[in-house]
Amino acid sequence: MAAGDHVGVESVCAPSESMPAHPSSRMPSCLRQLGDGSGSTPLETAADLRSHLASVPDPRARRGIRHPWTALLTAAAAAVLAGAASITAIGEWAADAPQRVLALLGFRPDPLTGLIRPPHATTIRLALAAADGDALDRAIGDFLQERQAPAPGRKVIAVDGKTLRGSRTAGRTATALIAAMTHSGQVLAQRQTDHKSNEIPAFAPLLDDIDLTDALITADALHTQHDHASYLHERRAHYLAVIKRNHPGLHERVCRLPWSDIRLDHVDRTRAHHRDEIRRLKTAAFAHIDCPHARQALQVVRWRKDMGTGKLTIERIHLVTSLPPGAAASSELAAWIHGHWRIENQLHHVRDRTFHEDASHIRTRHLPRVMAGLRNLAIGTHRQDGHTNIAPALRHAARNHLRPLTALALT
């Protein structure tokens, strides 16, 4: 070719006349090579995120639709899996995505040029702000459950709430969410609480779509409610709940048990974060207690010494459980009590520190809730893939556009 000659995109990447109708097949052959070479072995997973996101209703009017609804949701999920913490970052990730990646996400090529135009950040913002948060969280929970085979033993689920502080406006309180997460770090469900109420009415709706047969639900003192205990019994599940002074009668009765005369069941000692901690567990069986279906009371005495200052603190925690004596070893009970707070450390803390959730000022309509759900998806997916530290996992996924798609079974 002589110097100064110019060849347009149409002449270099012209689509074939016999090109199939599928979006990824209609892509020009030269562009189909872009984004290839992730250099990693594809993950073996039967779960396809797109099939679950298809259940989320499209709220848009039919007129003027350019991008498929599921493609927009899938692109946002993949971008957050690569560390995008804002709508702007999601838009930038999509704008930088190669043509092959856009096709795999489900975006359609222009019939004239054969090129796929990525969605603008404003388009993504409007779409996510209108999304049904409950439907999206159900799709995410179903995907994570299908993606990983059930672990052996009893399913243990922690229930806890979190307030998205940056979502507060002059005329509206901050968005409050309640989540159910397995003790291994997998978010199964999430719901938004009524701004005029608290987490208590959202407890049963949160767990309605989860198989609770023989599961154990751990919760803090707010959810030590008679209605919750009866609900879990009807669902053939058990509970392990903390008792505090918000239930004075039950708290006084359990505290007055002759704990000094009760045999010590388990002792556990850990050293971490410049602290030396000893936890001592005792259990007492009950024929009857003022809590529906409660079979045992538990006392945990926690001795904690700060290795830097030498300060020693002693804390006593009392709990009740519907598990009958002998249904679980004392070491398991101790692990479940201590493991409940993983929902703070492995979910809420990660969303705050790694995704900067509390610093985020996303406030439009359903956006705070939707972004929290996408962060749950990213955290759960990376944990299922064996990443214990989410920040490096996000950086690894961000270095190649195909990696998030591989993790979500979109390749």
Side-chain angles (χ1 to χ4, degrees):
M1 183 182 299
D5 288 348
H6 298 279
V7 180
V9 174
E10 291 83 356
S11 61
V12 176
C13 303
S16 170
E17 294 180 359
S18 60
M19 192 173 292
H22 191 276
S24 61
S25 335
R26 295 178 58 187
M27 190 184 312
S29 58
C30 65
L31 294 174
R32 207 176 300 134
Q33 306 301 324
L34 296 176
D36 209 354
S38 62
S40 60
T41 304
L43 299 178
E44 296 295 332
T45 174
D48 178 355
L49 178 65
R50 187 184 294 109
S51 63
H52 292 281
L53 293 181
S55 64
V56 181
D58 186 350
R60 302 174 297 173
R62 291 181 178 274
R63 184 176 179 180
I65 291 180
R66 173 177 294 177
H67 301 291
W69 172 248
T70 306
L72 291 171
L73 295 180
T74 307
V80 175
L81 204 73
S86 65
I87 300 298
T88 301
I90 293 175
E92 291 171 349
W93 184 91
D96 292 338
Q99 291 285 296
R100 180 189 176 189
V101 169
L102 294 174
L104 290 171
L105 290 170
F107 292 105
R108 296 187 291 258
D110 186 282
L112 296 178
T113 65
L115 298 177
I116 302 175
R117 296 180 60 184
H120 193 272
T122 302
T123 302
I124 298 173
R125 179 185 299 274
L126 293 173
L128 297 184
D132 184 332
D134 287 338
L136 179 62
D137 278 327
R138 279 195 299 270
I140 290 172
D142 292 344
F143 168 75
L144 291 174
Q145 291 184 75
E146 181 183 338
R147 191 175 186 270
Q148 188 174 53
R154 190 186 300 274
K155 181 189 294 184
V156 186
I157 302 171
V159 174
D160 195 27
K162 183 182 188 298
T163 299
L164 309 182
R165 298 173 184 173
S167 63
R168 182 181 293 107
T169 65
R172 188 182 64 187
T173 58
T175 300
L177 304 173
I178 181 173
M181 187 193 84
T182 65
H183 280 206
S184 60
Q186 174 183 337
V187 179
L188 303 179
Q190 179 176 263
R191 287 188 70 88
Q192 184 169 337
T193 62
D194 191 322
H195 69 280
K196 295 182 179 180
S197 183
N198 55 28
E199 300 173 18
I200 295 175
F203 181 86
L206 173 74
L207 301 174
D208 277 342
D209 295 327
I210 304 175
D211 181 11
L212 298 182
T213 305
D214 205 34
L216 177 71
I217 310 301
T218 63
D220 58 20
L222 179 66
H223 294 291
T224 308
Q225 305 288 334
H226 286 200
D227 290 344
H228 292 0
S230 299
Y231 167 80
L232 293 175
H233 182 74
E234 292 173 2
R235 296 287 310 276
R236 300 172 60 190
H238 293 282
Y239 61 84
L240 179 59
V242 178
I243 302 172
K244 291 187 177 179
R245 297 186 184 278
N246 56 333
H247 300 281
L250 179 61
H251 181 265
E252 182 180 1
R253 184 174 182 185
V254 172
C255 288
R256 286 189 174 184
L257 289 173
W259 290 110
S260 58
D261 299 328
I262 296 175
R263 176 176 56 89
L264 180 66
D265 286 326
H266 183 76
V267 178
D268 182 48
R269 182 171 186 171
T270 58
R271 292 186 177 183
H273 307 292
H274 305 286
R275 293 181 308 199
D276 188 2
E277 187 172 303
I278 299 175
R279 293 180 294 273
R280 299 160 57 91
L281 172 68
K282 293 182 177 182
T283 60
F286 261 99
H288 175 72
I289 191 173
D290 187 22
C291 188
H293 313 289
R295 300 291 302 276
Q296 296 183 85
L298 302 90
Q299 183 193 65
V300 176
V301 180
R302 182 184 299 153
W303 302 63
R304 181 180 296 170
K305 183 177 181 180
D306 189 303
M307 303 300 290
T309 63
K311 181 180 179 181
L312 177 66
T313 58
I314 302 175
E315 181 182 14
R316 285 178 174 81
I317 303 172
H318 295 91
L319 309 93
V320 290
T321 180
S322 59
L323 287 170
S330 57
S331 58
E332 290 180 305
L333 290 171
W336 294 336
I337 295 170
H338 186 59
H340 171 74
W341 304 111
R342 289 178 185 168
I343 194 170
E344 289 285 348
N345 298 329
Q346 295 186 357
L347 182 65
H348 299 161
H349 182 74
V350 173
R351 280 175 21 193
D352 284 341
R353 297 298 298 271
T354 305
F355 286 101
H356 311 291
E357 187 169 80
D358 277 352
S360 172
H361 292 288
I362 294 176
R363 298 167 179 157
T364 307
R365 299 182 64 191
H366 303 154
L367 268 181
R369 159 81 178 279
V370 169
M371 288 298 294
L374 295 176
R375 291 165 189 147
N376 291 343
L377 170 64
I379 294 169
T381 301
H382 284 311
R383 289 207 188 280
Q384 287 180 350
D385 291 343
H387 298 282
T388 56
N389 192 328
I390 300 301
L394 297 176
R395 293 194 295 269
H396 178 266
R399 290 196 291 270
N400 189 294
H401 275 77
L402 279 177
R403 287 174 180 168
L405 274 64
T406 302
L408 299 175
L410 301 173
T411 56

